[in-house]
Amino acid sequence: MKIVTLSKDDVLVIRFSYDPATVAQVRCLPPGRRWVPELKAWTCPLSLDALAKLRGWGFELAPPVLLAQDRLVGKEWTPPETPITSDDIPGLRGKLYPFQEAGVGFLEARNGRGLIADEMGLGKTIQALAWLQLHRQTALPAVVVCPASLKGNWEREAR
């Protein structure tokens, strides 16, 4: 198993079963790489160069590492080729605004794993409910984490 994870302070944590050839490869990483006995792992500053080398050597990059890589590249989300419209969501009452449809498309492109960070009052609740309605058979029941003062709002909008 050769895996790369990310520490809280955006440092790559490199773990693998001992192999002299792999140790020699890791020693070729950019300056700043080091063995950390407490972790029983190598660490290395996050960089595109280090990630490219590790991937080329067959290391698996954990999802947080992939997100950090996207951040380094400046990769931004692009809408799916076939956008989601209100008409595509059976059982949804009302009509979504175009930016809300884009938010549902954003969630759809990431299998529901995303953060909608629109300003207050722009319809984050309805976007989340619309995605849940699209995936009613597989995504429900769902847990909503919100302030107690918003529980009634969620209940009203869900109905």
Side-chain angles (χ1 to χ4, degrees):
M1 173 184 80
K2 295 164 62 169
I3 189 161
V4 180
T5 57
L6 200 61
S7 72
K8 292 177 187 173
D9 51 348
D10 275 356
V11 173
L12 298 175
V13 179
I14 306 157
R15 290 188 168 92
F16 56 93
S17 299
Y18 179 76
D19 171 42
T22 306
V23 171
Q25 289 174 327
V26 171
R27 285 186 174 157
C28 293
L29 288 172
R33 51 98 180 91
R34 66 187 185 97
W35 170 253
V36 181
E38 306 84 55
L39 296 176
K40 294 185 180 178
W42 288 83
T43 62
C44 179
L46 176 63
S47 72
L48 290 175
D49 180 41
L51 291 172
K53 286 181 178 179
L54 289 164
R55 182 174 271 168
W57 297 329
F59 279 85
E60 177 187 340
L61 304 182
V65 177
L66 295 173
L67 290 173
Q69 180 181 12
D70 289 350
R71 198 173 62 236
L72 286 175
V73 173
K75 190 178 199 178
E76 293 186 17
W77 175 75
T78 54
E81 291 182 25
T82 53
I84 305 291
T85 64
S86 297
D87 300 331
D88 297 332
I89 306 170
L92 182 69
R93 295 182 190 153
K95 192 114 170 107
L96 296 173
Y97 290 104
F99 70 90
Q100 291 171 328
E101 291 174 346
V104 175
F106 170 81
L107 290 174
E108 183 67 14
R110 288 169 171 66
N111 294 324
R113 294 183 174 110
L115 175 68
I116 300 173
D118 292 341
E119 294 289 328
M120 187 169 61
L122 291 180
K124 295 179 291 294
T125 302
I126 193 64
Q127 291 175 58
L129 289 170
W131 187 86
L132 285 169
Q133 185 66 24
L134 263 177
H135 299 279
R136 188 176 189 91
Q137 301 302 319
T138 56
L140 294 177
V143 175
V144 175
V145 179
C146 67
S149 61
L150 294 179
K151 289 192 297 188
N153 182 51
W154 270 92
E155 184 179 2
R156 275 190 308 281
E157 288 199 41
R159 288 182 188 193

